[in-house]
Amino acid sequence: MKRLKTSDPDFAKAFARIVADRRDADDDVSRDVARILAKVKADGDDALADFTTRFDKWTPASEADWRIAPEACEAAFKALDPTLRQALETAAERITAYHREQLPARRDYRDDQGVRLGAIWRPVDAAGLYVPGGRAAYPSSLLMNAIPAKVAGVERLVIVTPTPGGQVNDLVLAAAHLAGVDEIWRVGGAQAIAALAYGTERIRPVDVVTGPGNAWVAEAKRQLYGTVGIDMVAGPSEILVIADKDNRARHIAADLLSQAEHDPDAQSILITDDNDFADRVADRVGIELAMLKTRKVAEASWKDHGVIIEVESLDEAPALANALAAEHVELAVANPEPLLESIRHAGSVFIGRHAPEAIGDYVAGPNHVLPTGRRARFASGLSVLDFMKRTSFIELDEAALAAIGPAAVALAEAEGLPAHARSIAVRLEEGETK
Amino acid sequence: MKRLKTSDPDFAKAFARIVADRRDADDDVSRDVARILAKVKADGDDALADFTTRFDKWTPASEADWRIAPEACEAAFKALDPTLRQALETAAERITAYHREQLPARRDYRDDQGVRLGAIWRPVDAAGLYVPGGRAAYPSSLLMNAIPAKVAGVERLVIVTPTPGGQVNDLVLAAAHLAGVDEIWRVGGAQAIAALAYGTERIRPVDVVTGPGNAWVAEAKRQLYGTVGIDMVAGPSEILVIADKDNRARHIAADLLSQAEHDPDAQSILITDDNDFADRVADRVGIELAMLKTRKVAEASWKDHGVIIEVESLDEAPALANALAAEHVELAVANPEPLLESIRHAGSVFIGRHAPEAIGDYVAGPNHVLPTGRRARFASGLSVLDFMKRTSFIELDEAALAAIGPAAVALAEAEGLPAHARSIAVRLEEGETK
């Protein structure tokens, strides 16, 4: 963990290093991935079988092995502990309600020149969702990806997920049932993304692919961007907590560790204006770590990437926060509203002392798929818009064309595009024969 | 040009070939581009100077050579022929008006559990716009990229454009003045995209890069996706005209050629239910081509990629149109409204007999940067949203946390993330000391 003070003479330099430290996996996997994509494109299901045997140490023996039946998902859901089932239902309801508010409206109007203009938002036909196997198979993540697609109106929602050694994760199946997923295929890695984008004999192609994954999955999505729509490239998780001294140190320590436990590359940063509070949080992180089952990961993250920045005044916080453009920002201060307005770059903001970031991971409602690695400068969290597209439309009658057509003719001619000009001019001329 | 009839026994096969024929440039430029990007990242302005000399056959001699002064843009604007100036102004006003309607609203509400939720849309800090040199330097394209950024509220709008042999395009400068562009740098190619994304000593980095370009520019954007936001990968232009026999053949022929003249790889497709009308359009295309200054390009496009599909009934058109998911769709039919509703995949739809596609290229108002190559299945035209991003927010008080916190604790524990659970649980416990 680094301790910095904005009053230190070398602060700017040290802070710039933290901003530049993107912690993205930059394994040189792109050639491997390109080869896997080409193989799936050429050989389809045979390639999937080969890669599944090789990477997941498991060979589908029958047609039924490839796909998880809806009945299995329903059974997994019914077998859930009632508290957990209700928690999942609460999460699904709240995520659905929040995302419904995102649904964009159709526009359709006639302007003062008599031109009818507008735009129609429609869902894509099919969406594919990657669900990692093993440690990172989170039912909350499935809900956060599947529900926006369902709310958008996507008719076919397909999951691909590796089942290493043939093992299936029951919590994921239960969440898939709850979210109304249509198909679940037991394939993972770059090969699964290729199957979604190109289609195989078994798996029909989709239009948009989202969901978290390892470096191979992320690179496959990047390479297939344009063949399908994808969600933003994602890096390790981050939290920036801005806290005054009137917080309980244990609350803030727990918040910092809730990001740290995700990944040794995750980053937790505290900005505070109180030296004593900073000390107490640092101490408390040590105490909490000792009790934590996920200590190994959390300790590595805190040690290598944790930062406490002491500011003279919290007025310095927005500039620092905007430079960091963090995925999650907590405003644990007496008067958070001005900070909410002045922090321009953040994936999601948690306002006040009673909004730990983890509440947003599960049940608050907004999406927990958020831009990382300073991408909040230009990117947004996952939303229903990622599963929709917009068609603009233009309607003119003769009078409207007469009003605005000549300007278009002038521009087309100036650009050296005579057929453009002519397609308008022939309509402006009158009394012509067919 | 291919003539097909849906009643032909081999129609499905022939049509599938047309759908699969994406005509994307697939030059293997990715290694070249990767090398150029790395060089600009490492050497900054020196690399830009080298590449400019090599690719643009021109070497900036002084500091002033690198950047086009605002005064030069203003002078170019004032020197425009008045008709053309007014046409540009009409275009800018109408594009501005349409894009203002796209501005998304902030959401901020409290739900029935007392949780405050919402989302704030904000512009990115800086946007970079690529403007090609030479033949494809279109002022209309500059307006279509710059205006959405200005309407979004982007404070710094930067153009990069190659000036081969030192030549500057006055129409482009005039449009830049009109659009309120802040900086224009005389660099092009992949190196210009790298400069925008990474920044150099002269050129500060931007957050989003849009604009058309050749295969190197497109590949550079693709490779830098994630470092900056980009607009959709673009391929050659396309038009699908759905026309009944009551159109004038010369109108429809002109519309088909207005796409064909863009690029030998452009594609124009006509769907009609009348064999005689199809013949007349085909004949008329020949006549128009003979008169056309852009004949060479348009003829190549029509010959290699043009298609006329004769349907038994226009009821067959939506299924064909949805499979093609074309950039532009014209509905030159007596009753276009049902087609507007049933064609789900299209970049932009032109309704009725008086709405030639070219009107949308210049002055209608909607953006002319639209998804090509069947990407209308999942992508949308350029909009203010491409220059904005959304920050979600969550606020809870003690009662709200008590209401929804336990569900989050249950889920975090089930997912094996104890620090997540604890960050909520410590706040739910009462009477604890700091």
Side-chain angles (χ1 to χ4, degrees):
Chain A
M1 187 264 289
K2 283 192 188 70
R3 278 287 286 267
L4 307 177
K5 290 187 187 194
T6 52
S7 56
D8 285 347
D10 58 348
F11 173 78
K13 216 166 162 184
F15 183 69
R17 264 200 302 275
I18 288 166
V19 169
D21 166 31
R22 189 178 256 172
R23 298 156 302 115
D24 277 354
D26 60 354
D27 305 310
D28 190 4
V29 297
S30 73
R31 249 165 309 178
D32 280 4
V33 166
R35 230 173 286 138
I36 292 170
L37 303 188
K39 193 105 175 91
V40 173
K41 192 176 186 184
D43 300 340
D45 291 322
D46 288 346
L48 290 186
D50 287 351
F51 289 127
T52 300
T53 302
R54 199 191 316 169
F55 298 129
D56 296 348
K57 315 290 178 204
W58 168 77
T59 306
S62 70
E63 201 56 30
D65 272 358
W66 281 101
R67 190 167 167 180
I68 293 172
E71 295 74 23
C73 297
E74 193 181 350
F77 182 74
K78 287 189 172 158
L80 283 180
D81 166 88
T83 308
L84 193 54
R85 188 168 68 223
Q86 215 183 324
L88 264 187
E89 283 171 337
T90 297
E93 278 161 26
R94 295 189 54 87
I95 297 165
T96 301
Y98 183 83
H99 287 78
R100 274 204 190 120
E101 297 268 332
Q102 291 176 335
L103 280 168
R106 176 189 287 225
R107 290 184 298 137
D108 191 343
Y109 62 100
R110 208 170 291 271
D111 71 14
D112 52 14
Q113 304 275 28
V115 182
R116 180 182 168 208
L117 297 171
I120 305 171
W121 285 91
R122 293 189 178 93
V124 301
D125 287 343
L129 161 57
Y130 192 87
V131 176
R135 193 172 64 118
Y138 298 138
S140 62
S141 175
L142 192 154
L143 296 183
M144 289 289 184
N145 279 271
I147 290 174
K150 291 301 270 191
V151 170
V154 176
E155 294 209 343
R156 180 172 162 253
L157 185 50
V158 183
I159 279 182
V160 289
T161 187
T163 55
Q167 285 295 323
V168 173
N169 182 320
D170 280 335
L171 260 179
V172 164
L173 301 198
H177 172 75
L178 182 59
V181 168
D182 301 293
E183 303 168 21
I184 305 184
W185 298 95
R186 296 173 67 183
V187 287
Q191 60 273 21
I193 306 295
L196 290 173
Y198 297 132
T200 68
E201 280 176 43
R202 262 192 210 97
I203 305 177
R204 281 180 296 143
V206 303
D207 303 299
V208 168
V209 176
T210 72
N214 62 20
W216 277 261
V217 170
E219 175 63 15
K221 283 164 66 180
R222 213 185 59 80
Q223 291 189 17
L224 289 166
Y225 170 67
T227 301
V228 288
I230 65 168
D231 54 351
M232 181 45 61
V233 179
S237 197
E238 313 147 346
I239 191 169
L240 167 62
V241 180
I242 301 174
D244 61 27
K245 67 176 169 23
D246 294 333
N247 289 279
R248 292 187 174 192
R250 60 206 286 265
H251 292 185
I252 303 305
D255 296 352
L256 295 169
L257 290 174
S258 73
Q259 289 307 299
E261 76 175 340
H262 268 300
D263 187 332
D265 280 328
Q267 181 164 53
S268 305
I269 301 179
L270 168 64
I271 293 179
T272 183
D273 57 354
D274 189 273
N275 183 58
D276 176 55
F277 181 71
D279 287 345
R280 279 189 289 133
V281 171
D283 290 349
R284 189 74 212 183
V285 165
I287 295 167
E288 296 276 333
L289 271 174
M291 308 190 280
L292 204 60
K293 267 194 216 157
T294 50
R295 171 178 185 161
K296 207 175 142 187
V297 172
E299 197 162 39
S301 159
W302 181 246
K303 185 169 157 286
D304 294 342
H305 304 293
V307 185
I308 297 181
I309 301 175
E310 200 185 316
V311 291
E312 303 276 289
S313 148
L314 287 178
D315 294 345
E316 298 171 46
L320 302 177
N322 284 330
L324 292 164
E327 183 187 12
H328 307 103
V329 177
E330 280 187 19
L331 307 178
V333 297
N335 182 18
E337 216 60 24
L339 283 176
L340 176 66
E341 296 307 319
S342 54
I343 295 177
R344 297 172 39 79
H345 307 311
S348 193
V349 177
F350 299 78
I351 304 172
R353 306 194 197 282
H354 308 284
E357 185 281 323
I359 205 80
D361 284 339
Y362 295 109
V363 296
N367 212 287
H368 79 198
V369 180
L370 294 165
T372 57
R374 297 185 61 233
R375 295 189 186 89
R377 290 174 296 126
F378 56 83
S380 310
L382 196 69
S383 79
V384 297
L385 298 183
D386 291 295
F387 300 98
M388 304 184 82
K389 73 271 179 20
R390 184 177 18 82
T391 298
S392 57
F393 60 82
I394 298 167
E395 181 176 0
L396 295 93
D397 57 18
E398 279 185 81
L401 189 64
I404 69 170
V409 171
L411 289 166
E413 281 170 355
E415 290 188 353
L417 294 172
H420 281 66
R422 187 158 167 81
S423 71
I424 297 163
V426 287
R427 287 176 167 91
L428 294 176
E429 296 160 12
E430 284 186 350
E432 297 278 347
T433 54
K434 285 188 189 182
Chain B
M1 186 264 291
K2 284 195 188 69
R3 279 287 285 266
L4 306 176
K5 291 185 185 193
T6 52
S7 56
D8 286 347
D10 57 352
F11 172 78
K13 216 168 162 182
F15 182 70
R17 264 200 303 273
I18 288 167
V19 169
D21 166 31
R22 185 179 261 170
R23 298 155 301 115
D24 276 354
D26 60 353
D27 305 310
D28 190 3
V29 296
S30 73
R31 248 164 311 176
D32 281 2
V33 167
R35 230 173 286 138
I36 292 170
L37 303 189
K39 194 108 174 86
V40 173
K41 193 177 186 183
D43 300 340
D45 292 322
D46 289 345
L48 290 186
D50 288 349
F51 289 128
T52 299
T53 302
R54 200 192 317 170
F55 297 131
D56 296 348
K57 315 287 178 208
W58 168 77
T59 306
S62 71
E63 200 57 28
D65 272 358
W66 280 101
R67 189 167 166 179
I68 294 172
E71 295 75 24
C73 297
E74 195 180 349
F77 183 73
K78 287 188 172 157
L80 282 180
D81 166 90
T83 309
L84 193 54
R85 189 169 66 223
Q86 214 183 325
L88 263 187
E89 283 172 336
T90 298
E93 279 161 25
R94 294 189 56 86
I95 297 165
T96 301
Y98 183 83
H99 286 79
R100 272 204 192 121
E101 298 269 332
Q102 291 176 336
L103 280 168
R106 174 189 287 224
R107 291 184 298 136
D108 190 342
Y109 62 100
R110 208 170 290 271
D111 72 14
D112 52 13
Q113 303 275 27
V115 182
R116 179 180 168 208
L117 297 171
I120 304 171
W121 286 91
R122 292 189 178 95
V124 301
D125 287 342
L129 162 56
Y130 192 88
V131 176
R135 194 172 63 118
Y138 297 139
S140 62
S141 175
L142 191 154
L143 297 183
M144 289 290 185
N145 280 270
I147 290 174
K150 292 300 270 190
V151 171
V154 176
E155 295 210 343
R156 179 171 163 253
L157 186 49
V158 183
I159 279 182
V160 288
T161 188
T163 55
Q167 286 293 323
V168 172
N169 183 319
D170 280 335
L171 261 178
V172 163
L173 300 198
H177 171 75
L178 183 59
V181 168
D182 300 292
E183 302 167 21
I184 306 185
W185 299 95
R186 296 172 69 182
V187 287
Q191 60 272 22
I193 306 296
L196 290 173
Y198 296 133
T200 69
E201 279 175 44
R202 263 194 209 93
I203 306 176
R204 280 180 298 144
V206 304
D207 304 299
V208 168
V209 176
T210 71
N214 62 19
W216 278 260
V217 170
E219 176 63 15
K221 283 163 66 180
R222 213 185 59 80
Q223 290 190 17
L224 289 167
Y225 171 65
T227 300
V228 288
I230 63 168
D231 55 350
M232 181 45 61
V233 180
S237 196
E238 313 148 344
I239 192 169
L240 168 63
V241 180
I242 301 174
D244 60 28
K245 67 176 167 23
D246 295 332
N247 289 280
R248 293 186 173 191
R250 59 205 287 266
H251 292 185
I252 302 305
D255 296 350
L256 295 168
L257 290 173
S258 73
Q259 289 306 299
E261 75 175 340
H262 267 300
D263 187 333
D265 280 328
Q267 181 165 53
S268 305
I269 301 179
L270 169 64
I271 294 179
T272 183
D273 58 353
D274 189 273
N275 183 57
D276 176 55
F277 180 72
D279 287 345
R280 280 189 288 132
V281 171
D283 290 348
R284 189 74 213 182
V285 166
I287 294 167
E288 297 275 333
L289 269 175
M291 308 191 279
L292 204 59
K293 267 194 218 157
T294 49
R295 171 178 186 161
K296 207 175 141 189
V297 171
E299 197 162 40
S301 159
W302 181 245
K303 184 168 158 287
D304 293 343
H305 304 293
V307 185
I308 296 180
I309 301 175
E310 201 186 316
V311 291
E312 304 275 289
S313 148
L314 287 179
D315 294 345
E316 297 172 46
L320 302 177
N322 284 329
L324 292 165
E327 184 188 10
H328 307 104
V329 177
E330 280 186 19
L331 307 178
V333 298
N335 181 19
E337 216 59 25
L339 282 176
L340 176 65
E341 296 306 319
S342 54
I343 294 178
R344 296 172 40 78
H345 306 313
S348 192
V349 177
F350 299 78
I351 304 171
R353 305 193 198 283
H354 308 284
E357 185 281 323
I359 204 79
D361 284 339
Y362 295 108
V363 296
N367 212 286
H368 79 196
V369 180
L370 295 165
T372 57
R374 296 186 63 233
R375 296 189 185 89
R377 290 174 296 124
F378 55 83
S380 310
L382 196 69
S383 79
V384 298
L385 298 183
D386 291 295
F387 300 97
M388 303 184 82
K389 74 274 181 11
R390 186 176 15 82
T391 297
S392 57
F393 61 83
I394 298 167
E395 181 177 1
L396 296 91
D397 57 16
E398 279 186 82
L401 189 64
I404 68 170
V409 171
L411 289 165
E413 281 171 355
E415 290 189 351
L417 294 171
H420 281 66
R422 186 158 168 82
S423 70
I424 298 162
V426 286
R427 287 176 167 90
L428 294 175
E429 295 161 12
E430 285 185 349
E432 296 279 347
T433 55
K434 286 189 188 178

